[in-house]
Amino acid sequence: MGSVVAAPLSAAATFLGGCCGTFAAGCCYRLAGSGQVGSAQAVRSVIVLLQAFTAALATVASATPTLWLPWACGRLRAVGAGDLGICGCSGDEACWADQLVYRAEAAGVAVFLALLLMAAGGCAEGASRSAAVAKFMAVPLIGFVLLFVGNDVLSTFGAFATVASAVFLAVQAVMLIDFAYAWNEDWYAKALEARRGARASSGFQGWQMGILVASALLLLGSIAGTICLLIAVPDARARSVTAVAWVLAAVLLVVSITEHVKHGALLTSCVVMAYNAWLTWEAMSLLPGGRGPELPAWASLSVCAVSLLLFSRRAGGADAAADQDGPDPAAGACGEAGSSARAGQLFLLLLSGNKQCRAMSDIREFMFMSLFVPRSSSSSALGAADARDFRLQCAVHAAAGVYLTAALAPRAGDLAHGVHTAVVFGSLALYGWSLMAPYVLRGRSFG
């Protein structure tokens, strides 16, 4: 009698399960194909949001492993597979947290690299503007599959990420140097515009004071950060590296504001000094044996988020500038800076950063910033410059994913510390190159 009753219920359950499964699969397919974007700036926004989604997934997963992993590993243990994948941590909460970071960020890096390969293979239109939802769905899906991959494989990825994160720091240095030049140019142009207005004296002095206050805060921040680092690190060798890096940054500041260096500016140099202090903290936190200071993950995430947002906006700003017709707004500031120099106003000369009437785009050319700030067309169809922009965005965000892996689950060591220390001095060399390139490459034509 029981079988007679159970048979139709089982058949009904099988039928409903099949229908719901088919319906769910169809919904997922429709959902994955949605999310069409129509502009280059929207494409950049989707990529930034995808990076933020991946970082949030890694942070939440690593903070809550005890809520679901013991239950899942217990079910696998019941069928003789208790050491499969992430369950090999054997209940170690710290191991679970690190391994979840590795899997979530590895999934994000895989998505960015896949988009980069598709764009390089001629599918930039579809990869950049189609199926935006599918890009977000792919991260947890790949992360779920990686849960069953051995911990040794993901630990290797984590060790590689700690060393390779220096690549993103080098790229980040270029982006922030470019931002510093643009910031100084923008504020100084506003000061000159205010001087031509009705309240010439107050407006001009206000912008001057803003540049000086911002420069002073950045300079004091770099000094305070360096002093705190010298106190926090007892190792004499590490202290010497910290001191030498700060002294070199200070020398570049002094050189940049002399009359003989035509592209230097106080605000730009102070931004470089503050960022160099941050890079030194990054390098010293990777001292082996726990000898370095602990760097909070939120600080690394914040700096990374700001730099990626600046990168996206600067690329979009280059597109807008390419689409505008008319005179270059820097030309007016250039003429004003030249006349002020002839009048002997050295204070203006110090702030302008444009002593020989060259546009800031020339400096970015000197630093090879055309690789990072491409110009694209304004048409709805994806042009060659837009495709190039998308490839660069994917490459930078893949490097950022590697950096976020190291920030959330660092693995200190001699190699990682050495590579990051090299980036500290490499960023100073980049800034020094931006100051010296106009003299070295006299025969080149820019603009």
Side-chain angles (χ1 to χ4, degrees):
M1 185 66 180
S3 60
V4 174
V5 175
L9 294 177
S10 177
T14 302
F15 173 76
L16 291 175
C19 291
C20 292
T22 303
F23 176 75
C27 289
C28 289
Y29 176 77
R30 291 285 185 182
L31 183 62
S34 62
Q36 185 79 16
V37 295
S39 67
Q41 186 57 49
V43 170
R44 298 184 197 102
S45 299
V46 168
I47 294 178
V48 171
L49 290 174
L50 180 60
Q51 186 73 261
F53 172 74
T54 304
L57 180 65
T59 303
V60 172
S62 64
T64 59
T66 56
L67 297 181
W68 55 281
L69 270 177
W71 177 86
C73 292
R75 296 297 180 272
L76 290 175
R77 195 174 298 111
V79 296
D83 293 333
L84 180 64
I86 197 171
C87 294
C89 287
S90 302
D92 185 350
E93 187 174 349
C95 175
W96 273 343
D98 288 348
Q99 291 295 328
L100 286 171
V101 169
Y102 299 154
R103 282 160 170 82
E105 289 296 339
V109 171
V111 171
F112 286 120
L113 290 178
L115 293 173
L116 176 61
L117 290 175
M118 285 189 287
C123 301
E125 177 78 39
S128 61
R129 300 194 175 183
S130 301
V133 176
K135 299 167 187 174
F136 289 85
M137 294 175 63
V139 174
L141 179 61
I142 297 174
F144 176 76
V145 173
L146 290 176
L147 290 176
F148 301 97
V149 178
N151 289 335
D152 293 341
V153 177
L154 276 303
S155 296
T156 302
F157 170 73
F160 164 78
T162 304
V163 177
S165 61
V167 174
F168 176 72
L169 291 176
V171 175
Q172 187 173 247
V174 177
M175 291 189 290
L176 287 178
I177 292 172
D178 173 62
F179 163 74
Y181 274 119
W183 184 12
N184 182 80
E185 169 95 351
D186 182 57
W187 278 26
Y188 184 70
K190 290 182 184 301
L192 296 178
E193 184 180 354
R195 189 168 68 172
R196 293 191 294 265
R199 294 184 171 182
S201 177
S202 60
F204 181 64
Q205 292 178 358
W207 283 108
Q208 281 184 327
M209 187 58 63
I211 294 175
L212 287 176
V213 169
S215 301
L217 290 176
L218 290 167
L219 179 59
L220 292 175
S222 71
I223 295 173
T226 302
I227 292 174
C228 291
L229 185 57
L230 290 172
I231 296 173
V233 179
D235 187 84
R237 188 174 174 182
R239 284 181 171 181
S240 64
V241 170
T242 302
V244 169
W246 189 88
V247 169
L248 287 177
V251 169
L252 286 174
L253 183 148
V254 173
V255 170
S256 69
I257 60 178
T258 60
E259 188 175 356
H260 303 289
V261 177
K262 308 304 180 183
H263 289 80
L266 178 65
L267 181 57
T268 305
S269 297
C270 290
V271 171
V272 172
M273 286 194 70
Y275 181 66
N276 187 256
W278 165 255
L279 284 181
T280 309
W281 270 91
E282 286 264 5
M284 296 307 152
S285 68
L286 296 175
L287 280 168
R291 293 179 292 146
E294 184 178 354
L295 195 65
W298 64 263
S300 300
L301 293 176
S302 300
V303 174
C304 180
V306 169
S307 61
L308 290 177
L309 288 173
L310 288 175
F311 177 52
S312 176
R313 289 180 62 85
R314 291 291 296 149
D319 295 342
D323 295 335
Q324 290 178 352
D325 296 324
D328 186 357
C334 174
E336 293 283 351
S339 62
S340 64
R342 288 191 297 271
Q345 299 178 18
L346 297 180
F347 185 72
L348 298 181
L349 202 62
L350 172 70
L351 297 180
S352 68
N354 204 359
K355 304 183 186 73
Q356 276 193 339
C357 301
R358 288 178 181 263
M360 283 296 139
S361 60
D362 292 350
I363 296 176
R364 293 196 294 273
E365 283 285 348
F366 285 134
M367 297 183 60
F368 309 108
M369 278 307 302
S370 59
L371 294 176
F372 296 94
V373 190
R375 295 177 181 267
S376 62
S377 62
S378 59
S379 61
S380 58
L382 191 70
D386 286 324
R388 179 169 171 266
D389 178 31
F390 179 70
R391 291 194 297 269
L392 287 171
Q393 292 281 335
C394 291
V396 169
H397 280 271
V402 173
Y403 170 76
L404 291 174
T405 304
L408 293 171
R411 298 170 65 94
D414 289 323
L415 180 59
H417 171 65
V419 173
H420 282 70
T421 302
V423 172
V424 172
F425 295 99
S427 65
L428 294 176
L430 281 172
Y431 181 56
W433 169 246
S434 73
L435 298 175
M436 297 296 106
Y439 304 96
V440 178
L441 305 177
R442 291 179 181 273
R444 287 193 57 180
S445 175
F446 297 93

